[in-house]
Amino acid sequence: MISRRKFIRSSFLLGAGLFSSASLDLLTGCSASCDFVQPVKKRKYVLADIHNHTVLNDWVRNTPIGVKFPMLADFAQDFFDKTSTTWKSSYEAGVDLICTAHFNPFDEWISMPLDPNPSAPANTFRMMDLLEKDLNGPSAKYAKLIRTPEEFKNHFYKGYDKNDPNFRIAVLHSLEGGHALGGRLEPLKEFARRGVVLITIGHFYNKGIATAPNAFPFFPDANSVRPKQGLSPFGREVIHEMEKLGIIVDVTHATSTALDDILKVSTKPLIATHISAKTLGDHAYSFHDEHIQEIVNRGGIIGIPLYPYMLSNYANIKDAEEYGSLSDVVRTIRYVTKISNSLKNICIGSDFGGYIPRLTDMNCLCQVNMLRELLVNEFGNEEIIDDILAKNVIDFIGNNWKRNI
Ligand SMILES: [Zn+2]
């Protein structure tokens, strides 16, 4: 078993080695392109994406490592980021809402020997600043930040019309990974004030809140917490405080034991922004049927990622990239709606921009119309498709985001 520091150092060297040996062709060949837009702007609802890493590349570029080694940031984007979301193309495609998930890999990975990283909340505010600067500047003509439930309701429920020249994509802040709290409850209030609508309390590793499945089994910390430990006492406090402040709890990335605990202590509807069903895709992150059913029975909502590897049982990521398609997404939607006996508790959390592999038939959010066409074939009713792609999660946020500060 190697130490964390040794692991991080050798990973860095391996990354640098890969970088120097990769051909330019390989680097540019993997980058996502956004030039295929099917205009569907006139449709009232197109897509509300509840989990999207819209600014991850910008953030990596702005971190001390990214500033010092911009080529590494370029490499990360070109080599790993095979899906794409741009404000312009999403706007032109008529996307309704994008919930930006802020995730700082450096707080979760590099700071591991210092768990939890006390600078994590400050770094998270910087990520939020970065998004806001863009939305107040170059991207203001495409998208606007929604900071309060009142603004949200005004935007969607009072004469919502995409043909209005003032129409903009509604953007929400969310956090992926409770490590953003830096081990303290206090930052939650400021997150709520800044407009954070939901927090995924777990992520790749146990950061003292809830156990997460082994994201990287070769990593020395992966087995550091026994599965019987679900939600920690601090995790319970986090949920209580989030509920008090009106921030929605996202249970994605929780182990089944953590889920059992969360279901015991939570009193408000839960969201799972980007999960798969274990019956269809047997991965550590996938949820058992009974957990999906319980979340729905309590008025929660299930987001399906546009991520075939997670949704099905491909032998490996390479196979998933070669064969995975929107049909995996449709199959999961069919299954989850069937076992939960509801067409109103399901939505899309693409995970695009989160360094996930691409689908063979969609790599940019602006291509969402292809998913619509497949869903129309499946369900045969445009209204149901509007619900699945957008309306369900808009109503869920409208009903459950409170911001009590
Ligand atoms: Zn995730």
Side-chain angles (χ1 to χ4, degrees):
M1 191 64 79
I2 57 172
S3 76
R4 299 174 188 177
R5 280 181 192 281
K6 242 185 187 167
F7 177 85
I8 289 164
R9 201 180 308 127
S10 50
S11 301
F12 187 80
L13 289 173
L14 179 72
L18 268 173
F19 174 66
S20 58
S21 63
S23 71
L24 193 65
D25 205 31
L26 179 65
L27 292 174
T28 52
C30 287
S31 60
S33 88
C34 244
D35 47 13
F36 182 80
V37 178
Q38 294 176 314
V40 283
K41 202 176 164 190
K42 284 203 170 69
R43 175 166 283 288
K44 185 168 182 185
Y45 296 110
V46 172
L47 177 70
D49 183 1
I50 199 63
H51 188 76
N52 189 300
H53 289 281
T54 337
V55 292
L56 183 57
N57 287 315
D58 281 351
W59 168 251
V60 171
R61 214 170 291 284
N62 278 276
T63 56
I65 291 178
V67 170
K68 206 166 177 188
F69 306 105
M71 283 173 79
L72 276 179
D74 288 344
F75 171 71
Q77 178 167 358
D78 291 338
F79 196 74
F80 295 114
D81 191 16
K82 298 174 184 181
T83 55
S84 169
T85 303
T86 68
W87 297 119
K88 183 174 183 288
S89 65
S90 302
Y91 172 80
E92 285 166 356
V95 169
D96 302 272
L97 179 148
I98 293 178
C99 186
T100 294
H102 297 288
F103 155 59
N104 182 8
F106 301 97
D107 283 336
E108 193 169 20
W109 287 58
I110 308 296
S111 75
M112 287 192 82
L114 305 169
D115 280 355
N117 182 10
S119 305
N123 288 334
T124 307
F125 290 125
R126 284 173 54 217
M127 286 190 279
M128 294 167 72
D129 292 342
L130 195 67
L131 172 65
E132 291 180 18
K133 197 174 151 202
D134 182 27
L135 295 179
N136 289 326
S139 299
K141 49 185 180 288
Y142 308 122
K144 68 169 183 186
L145 185 73
I146 304 276
R147 275 183 193 279
T148 68
E150 292 70 34
E151 278 178 38
F152 186 86
K153 284 172 189 153
N154 285 337
H155 180 87
F156 282 111
Y157 297 138
K158 294 198 174 153
Y160 183 56
D161 179 11
K162 280 188 188 151
N163 294 310
D164 183 332
N166 292 321
F167 166 76
R168 298 288 182 272
I169 300 169
V171 183
L172 297 170
H173 283 303
S174 69
L175 312 183
E176 182 158 31
H179 60 269
L181 297 175
R184 293 177 293 127
L185 287 180
E186 290 71 34
L188 278 173
K189 199 167 181 184
E190 183 60 9
F191 287 139
R193 196 192 65 77
R194 289 280 299 261
V196 169
V197 62
L198 64 92
I199 300 176
T200 318
I201 59 171
H203 199 219
F204 291 146
Y205 306 108
N206 173 28
K207 290 290 203 175
I209 297 178
T211 46
N214 288 357
F216 304 98
F218 49 83
F219 195 86
D221 288 278
N223 293 307
S224 64
V225 175
R226 291 187 194 97
K228 69 175 180 185
Q229 291 172 275
L231 196 61
S232 71
F234 177 63
R236 275 196 284 278
E237 286 181 57
V238 168
I239 289 183
H240 286 144
E241 190 65 13
M242 283 174 68
E243 289 191 341
K244 215 168 88 190
L245 290 165
I247 303 174
I248 299 164
V249 175
D250 179 9
V251 294
T252 309
H253 290 285
T255 57
S256 56
T257 44
L259 266 171
D260 284 340
D261 288 354
I262 295 166
L263 285 162
K264 262 182 229 150
V265 303
S266 69
T267 62
K268 304 270 164 64
L270 300 164
I271 190 167
T273 54
H274 54 297
I275 63 143
S276 47
K278 209 173 257 301
T279 309
L280 304 183
D282 191 10
H283 302 281
Y285 289 124
S286 307
F287 280 20
H288 292 288
D289 289 358
E290 54 263 41
H291 282 138
I292 293 173
Q293 288 161 331
E294 187 63 19
I295 291 165
V296 170
N297 285 343
R298 296 174 180 212
I301 191 163
I302 306 292
I304 307 301
L306 306 183
Y307 189 171
Y309 176 69
M310 294 302 296
L311 298 175
S312 300
N313 284 322
Y314 292 103
N316 50 48
I317 289 186
K318 194 174 160 290
D319 275 10
E321 284 198 290
E322 205 170 332
Y323 305 108
S325 71
L326 286 169
S327 64
D328 297 293
V329 177
V330 174
R331 184 171 81 124
T332 307
I333 292 174
R334 182 197 306 137
Y335 183 75
V336 169
T337 54
K338 191 176 155 199
I339 60 162
S340 61
N341 197 26
S342 170
L343 291 163
K344 295 278 185 188
N345 300 70
I346 192 153
C347 62
I348 303 294
S350 72
D351 213 1
F352 272 22
Y355 295 175
I356 62 167
R358 57 161 293 168
L359 303 93
T360 49
D361 48 359
M362 179 174 177
N363 74 332
C364 177
L365 217 58
C366 65
Q367 297 161 340
V368 62
N369 210 29
M370 290 196 272
L371 175 57
R372 168 171 280 275
E373 280 168 19
L374 292 176
L375 287 170
V376 170
N377 287 343
E378 177 72 29
F379 292 97
N381 177 328
E382 295 276 359
E383 245 177 71
I384 293 174
I385 315 309
D386 285 348
D387 285 350
I388 294 171
L389 291 179
K391 191 75 178 21
N392 286 344
V393 78
I394 290 170
D395 288 344
F396 179 81
I397 300 287
N399 291 329
N400 293 291
W401 180 27
K402 300 298 179 196
R403 194 176 177 264
N404 302 319
I405 50 167

